[in-house]
């Protein structure tokens, strides 16, 4: 696995290896995180500029914008450093999270493992599957990825960021398995 992060017994399968998502999902998630943090940084920065400008004008009782720009200083850049430092930490964790995610088609169940910090291992019985959907957003389509959503009476679970062809094949397989193993009503 990745630098000492190993799945322990409640999150492993004894006899099978989990299938991982493609390597390009790491890049996809890094770009997705960068866009989110860029948006947060711009929002926090704009809010800080508005608050600082209002405070400056209230204290100095002036409306001259040129004087206000002289008041700004390098310490104001800390507003952008906090989200950037969190993004740098997140950048490193994305690969570790990718190494931990996976799925496996068993004889009677589908196994899905997700999460790095908050780990989750789901076992879905084919007989309980009610609906299987494939979806793909614009950024996912750019990276040739799709999301498979499996619905049952207990809720829905997803297998995120897999090849669209694999998602279609899994959808067809899971639908067929569910049809074969469906409990009589």
């Amino acid at each position: 696995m990745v630098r000492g992060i190993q799945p322990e017994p409640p999150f492993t399968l004894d006899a099978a290896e989990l299938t991982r998502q493609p390597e390009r999902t790491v890049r996809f998630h890094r770009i997705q995180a960068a866009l989110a943090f860029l948006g947060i940084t711009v929002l926090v920065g704009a809010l800080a500029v508005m608050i600082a400008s209002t405070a400056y004008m209230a204290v100095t009782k002036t409306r001259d914008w040129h004087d206000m720009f002289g008041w700004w200083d390098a310490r104001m850049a800390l507003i952008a450093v906090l989200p950037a430092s969190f993004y740098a930490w997140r950048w490193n964790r994305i690969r570790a999270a990718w190494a931990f995610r996976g799925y496996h088609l068993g004889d009677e169940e589908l196994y899905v493992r997700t999460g790095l910090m908050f780990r989750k291992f789901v076992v879905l019985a084919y007989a309980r599957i009610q609906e299987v959907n494939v979806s793909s957003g614009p950024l996912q389509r750019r990276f040739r990825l799709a999301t498979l959503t499996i619905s049952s009476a207990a809720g829905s679970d997803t297998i995120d960021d897999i090849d669209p062809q694999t998602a279609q094949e899994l959808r067809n397989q899971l639908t067929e398995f569910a049809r074969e193993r469906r409990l009589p009503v």
Side-chain angles (χ1 to χ4, degrees):
M1 280 292 191
V2 177
R3 289 188 224 161
I5 299 174
Q6 299 288 328
E8 51 273 353
F11 303 103
T12 59
L13 284 174
D14 293 333
E17 183 70 28
L18 294 175
T19 305
R20 283 200 202 150
Q21 285 85 348
E23 179 80 24
R24 64 183 174 275
T25 60
V26 173
R27 187 168 178 221
F28 166 73
H29 282 284
R30 285 179 173 170
I31 289 173
Q32 193 177 36
L35 291 174
F37 287 116
L38 178 67
I40 290 169
T41 303
V42 167
L43 186 66
V44 168
L47 186 62
V49 166
M50 288 190 312
I51 290 171
S53 301
T54 304
Y56 176 78
M57 289 191 292
V59 168
T60 61
K61 306 277 194 255
T62 183
R63 299 280 183 233
D64 189 12
W65 288 90
H66 298 288
D67 292 340
M68 186 179 70
F69 288 126
W71 178 70
W72 288 90
D73 108 1
R75 290 175 289 201
M76 299 297 271
L78 287 176
I79 294 167
V81 170
L82 292 175
S85 63
F86 184 72
Y87 175 69
W89 174 81
R90 177 75 177 118
W91 179 273
N92 189 31
R93 303 309 326 151
I94 288 173
R95 178 163 300 282
W98 170 80
F100 194 82
R101 294 167 53 185
Y103 64 92
H104 175 72
L105 291 173
D107 293 333
E108 295 296 320
E109 300 96 6
L110 169 69
Y111 304 94
V112 181
R113 182 176 68 189
T114 58
L116 179 65
M117 191 176 303
F118 300 101
R119 297 176 181 183
K120 182 174 155 184
F121 189 75
V122 178
V123 180
L124 293 166
Y126 296 137
R128 301 289 183 189
I129 293 175
Q130 294 176 346
E131 184 178 30
V132 183
N133 294 319
V134 176
S135 61
S136 184
L139 195 56
Q140 281 183 317
R141 285 193 301 274
R142 169 69 179 92
F143 284 93
R144 297 180 329 274
L145 298 170
T147 297
L148 185 76
T149 306
I150 304 120
S151 301
S152 67
S156 64
D157 289 291
T158 61
I159 301 175
D160 294 321
D161 308 326
I162 55 178
D163 289 315
Q165 184 64 32
T166 305
Q168 294 291 343
E169 291 168 5
L170 276 173
R171 184 192 66 186
N172 294 340
Q173 263 186 313
L174 290 173
T175 304
E176 186 61 35
F177 288 161
R179 195 174 292 125
E180 289 172 0
R181 292 165 175 85
R182 182 133 318 147
L183 300 174
V185 179

